[in-house]
Every structure is written in structure tokens, then in C-alpha cells.
Amino acid sequence: MMKLFADLQIHSRFSRATSPSITIQNLEKYARLKGLNLLGTGDFTHPKWIDELKSELEEDGSGILTSESGFHFVLQGEISNIYVQDGKQRRVHTLLLARNFEIVEQINSALLRKGRLDYDGRPIFGFTCVELAEMMKEIDDDIEIIPAHAWTPWYGIFGSMSGFDSVEECFKEYAHKINAIETGLSSDPLMNWRISALDKYTLLSSSDAHSFWPWRLGRECNVFDIDLSYDDLLQAIRKKKGFVETVEMWPHEGKYHYTGHRNCNVSYSPNEALKVKNICPKCRSKLTVGVAQRVELLADREEGFVPKNAVPFRNLIPLSEVIAGTEGEKVESKNVWGEYYKLTNAFGNEFNVLLKAEESNLKKITSEKITKNIIRNRNQKIPFKPGYDGVYGVPIFNESGLEEYKEEKGKIKAKIEQKGLSDFI
């Protein structure tokens, strides 16, 4: 057995809006720096990327691939299905895991009968999720089918703009083949536990990274205590056997946590959004209904409920963001990288810094301000200005920022609570 920090969903440079510098070497370098030791390969459907994977990764029969320097990968891809069901356009992204290159070749051959694979690492098809599940299970029952970033408004299985209200509604007769869902950046397990229908599904967390930088890669991941094999990984996903915990971004930092309208710089909590009837007060267009409001709509439990045998989780802000927020700089700045490398060199990797390093030892390496915020982060004491409509949420690392946000929300609340809201909505 070994403890695996596994990020099971990433992308290659062949997907849209991704870094052109994504290579196996860069993924491996920054995964080690982060503290990860198992990565999804990303985009196994793309012909150029799968050729690179075959040339740079070795199979040994375990279902886990190994690079020349000994880093581990599992074959992973993502499919976008866009179709009409029950009179509504559906857009659902689905994560696929596969045991070996032979199975991937069969997957790609089947998909090529439905459309092209060479234009994007996350190809789009017009057939249903039911057809996708049927196709995969006819190839190999051990292909794992996981609804990706389940709550994202536009492309999640439960998304407010194009999704479903249940796994059964989406996958129908193949719903029993779905063992897990991915919670996505804008929700965490505590939010998902409010829906009793999800109790039978394992809740996975992955970064959906479009680059290899450590504030993206591994920002969400799964921690397993298993043997390094595809069979053990399936048991962890399907039966929670050896599933230790998930590491989550704060859902408030996700780009779709609150309801809002990016163009008008307007965002609302679920209750506030209902009071304005989900209409933007500035341009009077429909707001993008966020994950918090969507969860509230489907929830049949009170906040704080924890099911029996639930896999625990912890919320963490990436170390680069903690340093940058404390210093008032960008994550990619020279000074932030300098502090980041000082800390990771001293403690081995980012997760060791965030989760294990003693406060007294941190102070020997970095400033008291950064140390304070690393500990506050570990103890989940950092507030947020929540994300909305494609805008990332912002962690608040200083008192002035917190007061400014409270003042902003106070003005919104006062406006909403005024009598006669016709001028507002």
C-alpha cells in the first residue's frame, strides 16, 4: 500500500484554452513539486497526445503507466456531449478512465465512427450520455465513467443551464454503471451531502487543470491508501476502499459558486438571487444561476449533514495564492516564486507546507505574515469574496479587504430589502 495524492482530471496542450507548454516532463515536474504522485494523462482521445503518451510512458500490466523517471499516470480523457433531451439542450462533460492503451484504441475507434477526434483534446459529440455509457461498457466494463465537474452551470450533469436533476435522468438504464461524480471547483462534499440521492456515489475531486502550474495542478485531488494498480483505483472509486480523503478548493473560489452576471459585475447568494428573481438589476438579462443556488434547489437536507461512511475532505487555498494574497502580488511574480521555492525546498513539496509544517519551522523559512496565513489556511479561517458567472472567487487575506467586502454586501442587502423593488429588478 502507498498513499497516493491523485489528480485524475487534467488536459493536454491539445485542448482549447490550455497552456501550449504542457508536456509529460512539465506535468511530472510540477506534480512532484505539488506533492502529487498520480496524474490522469488527460485527453487520451487526441491522436497527437496519445502518440506522445505511448512514446513516453510504459505499461507493466498494472493499469498504471510510468514515465522514464518513475512518475505514475492513469489513462484519462474527457468527452463533451451536446444534444437535446426532453425539449432542452443538454451539455454534459464526462471523465473517462481506462486500463491500458489497447482499451483506449478501442474507445477512439468507436468515437471515430461518431465524429472527429483531431480538432480538440476534449471532443464534442451530438449523441446522448446514455449512448456514451452503452458504447464504453460494450468495450470494457472497467472503463470508469464519471460525470465531470457535476455542478458547472453550462457543462455539468447538474448544471443550471443545461443539466439534469439526477444521474438517472441523464444516464437512464445505464445509471447503475455510474459509481462516482466529480464535485467540481464550485462545490465541495458538504454541499453534495445535502442531496440524499447522491449518497450512493463516491465524490471525487480533481483539478481540471489547463496548465501545469502549481496553483492549477492538484488544486483539487484525491488521497488514496492503495496498491499502485488500476484494480485498486477502481475499488477506491467504486467501493471507497482505501479512499482516505479529498483535498478541495474552497467552493467560494470556484468560478460559478454564486449566481451573477459578469458583464455587470453583479453577484448574489442563493437567497439574494431569489429576491431579485434571478434577473440582473443593471441590464435586466437572466443571471447565470450558480452552484450554491442550484444545490439549494435540489437539496433535501439541512446544511451540515454528513452521511454515514462519507469520505472526509479538507478545503485548501494553493500555496502560491496564499503567498501572493499576503504580499499583494500576482501568483506568477518573481517574489512569489521565490517564497514558494524556499518553502517547498525546505519541506519537500507544497502539500507538506500546507498540511504538515510546524508554525515555528515555517517562521524560520518565510515571513511571519505568510506563516500566519498558511496556518489560517490550514485551519480554514480565510474568508472569500465568492466567484460567479465565470469569475474566480477571491480569498481575503487582510482586514481592509474583509471590511470592503462586508460594506459591498451590506449595500446589496439594503437595496434588496427596500420596499418596492420594481426599480431594482
Side-chain angles (χ1 to χ4, degrees):
M1 298 280 184
M2 66 180 295
K3 184 168 280 191
L4 295 176
F5 283 74
D7 186 348
L8 299 178
Q9 187 195 7
I10 66 166
H11 285 285
S12 73
R13 65 183 182 276
F14 298 104
S15 281
R16 296 177 187 178
T18 58
S19 167
S21 300
I22 295 176
T23 61
I24 293 297
Q25 291 75 24
N26 279 335
L27 288 170
E28 178 179 342
K29 174 183 176 179
Y30 289 97
R32 291 183 188 277
L33 190 61
K34 187 79 176 185
L36 298 165
N37 45 17
L38 178 63
L39 274 186
T41 58
D43 300 348
F44 65 43
T45 56
H46 197 280
K48 290 184 177 179
W49 187 239
I50 194 67
D51 283 348
E52 286 190 31
L53 296 177
K54 287 179 178 179
S55 68
E56 298 193 37
L57 302 177
E58 293 291 331
E59 292 183 300
D60 62 4
S62 69
I64 301 298
L65 311 179
T66 307
S67 71
E68 185 177 355
S69 63
F71 194 83
H72 303 295
F73 292 83
V74 61
L75 285 161
Q76 168 257 312
E78 185 180 357
I79 304 297
S80 177
N81 291 90
I82 302 177
Y83 57 98
V84 175
Q85 181 175 320
D86 302 324
K88 180 180 178 180
Q89 187 183 67
R90 312 292 183 166
R91 302 181 183 188
V92 181
H93 286 180
T94 305
L95 174 67
L96 301 175
L97 302 178
R99 181 183 293 276
N100 54 43
F101 286 122
E102 180 183 353
I103 297 299
V104 167
E105 288 298 336
Q106 293 181 53
I107 292 170
N108 291 345
S109 293
L111 290 172
L112 279 169
R113 292 193 286 272
K114 296 285 190 177
R116 290 172 53 194
L117 297 176
D118 59 347
Y119 65 96
D120 192 1
R122 183 181 55 210
I124 300 170
F125 295 97
F127 59 86
T128 69
C129 289
V130 176
E131 293 174 86
L132 176 66
E134 180 181 28
M135 182 190 300
M136 294 302 109
K137 293 306 176 180
E138 284 180 352
I139 295 170
D140 181 15
D141 196 49
D142 283 345
I143 296 171
E144 197 64 15
I145 305 167
I146 304 164
H149 43 75
W151 295 94
T152 302
W154 297 104
Y155 293 99
I157 186 174
F158 305 133
S160 62
M161 299 303 176
S162 59
F164 298 88
D165 288 349
S166 68
V167 172
E168 289 78 8
E169 186 184 2
C170 178
F171 285 93
K172 297 189 176 182
E173 64 266 30
Y174 285 90
H176 68 288
K177 294 293 187 179
I178 306 302
N179 304 292
I181 65 169
E182 193 180 69
T183 57
L185 305 183
S186 295
S187 85
D188 63 13
L190 196 61
M191 295 170 67
N192 286 261
W193 292 337
R194 296 189 61 195
I195 295 101
S196 60
L198 298 183
D199 287 355
K200 57 189 171 185
Y201 302 105
T202 302
L203 302 180
L204 294 172
S205 295
S206 297
S207 70
D208 195 13
H210 287 217
S211 75
F212 47 79
W213 301 120
W215 53 89
R216 292 289 185 256
L217 197 64
R219 57 186 169 179
E220 294 205 336
C221 68
N222 312 280
V223 183
F224 304 118
D225 190 4
I226 59 176
D227 286 333
L228 195 61
S229 73
Y230 190 79
D231 286 332
D232 270 31
L233 181 61
L234 284 188
Q235 286 299 303
I237 292 171
R238 296 179 176 182
K239 305 294 183 183
K240 302 180 184 177
K241 185 177 179 181
F243 201 154
V244 177
E245 65 177 344
T246 58
V247 175
E248 311 273 338
M249 270 178 48
W250 279 95
H252 310 75
E253 191 172 5
K255 293 194 291 184
Y256 294 100
H257 185 66
Y258 263 16
T259 295
H261 187 204
R262 172 175 46 188
N263 290 345
C264 293
N265 194 29
V266 167
S267 73
Y268 297 118
S269 69
N271 287 337
E272 291 167 346
L274 289 176
K275 288 178 181 178
V276 301
K277 302 179 182 178
N278 289 334
I279 299 296
C280 177
K282 294 184 179 180
C283 70
R284 300 178 184 258
S285 62
K286 289 184 179 179
L287 300 173
T288 299
V289 174
V291 173
Q293 186 175 349
R294 181 71 172 145
V295 168
E296 198 69 45
L297 177 66
L298 297 181
D300 57 358
R301 290 170 173 156
E302 295 297 319
E303 291 184 18
F305 182 88
V306 180
K308 292 181 180 178
N309 302 317
V311 174
F313 73 98
R314 65 178 87 212
N315 300 105
L316 280 180
I317 303 167
L319 178 59
S320 300
E321 293 184 19
V322 174
I323 297 169
T326 304
E327 299 297 298
E329 298 192 33
K330 294 182 178 180
V331 288
E332 66 272 20
S333 73
K334 182 178 179 179
N335 288 339
V336 170
W337 271 117
E339 290 297 321
Y340 184 90
Y341 278 122
K342 279 167 53 179
L343 286 161
T344 52
N345 287 340
F347 299 103
N349 60 57
E350 178 176 330
F351 284 139
N352 285 342
V353 175
L354 293 176
L355 300 174
K356 296 179 181 180
E358 295 287 341
E359 184 173 1
S360 57
N361 291 330
L362 287 167
K363 288 180 178 178
K364 296 175 184 176
I365 306 300
T366 190
S367 70
E368 189 166 340
K369 289 191 303 179
I370 292 174
T371 296
K372 178 182 177 181
N373 279 330
I374 289 172
I375 299 302
R376 289 176 68 215
N377 183 27
R378 185 182 301 173
N379 294 331
Q380 307 189 73
K381 298 293 186 183
I382 295 175
F384 274 86
K385 180 178 181 179
Y388 66 96
D389 195 21
V391 178
Y392 278 111
V394 180
I396 300 171
F397 292 100
N398 55 68
E399 289 299 322
S400 61
L402 182 58
E403 291 305 314
E404 181 181 325
Y405 177 60
K406 286 180 178 179
E407 182 180 353
E408 177 185 333
K409 294 305 292 182
K411 289 178 181 178
I412 291 173
K413 183 177 179 181
K415 187 72 173 176
I416 290 174
E417 290 177 350
Q418 286 179 0
K419 292 182 179 179
L421 290 173
S422 59
D423 63 326
F424 188 59
I425 62 174

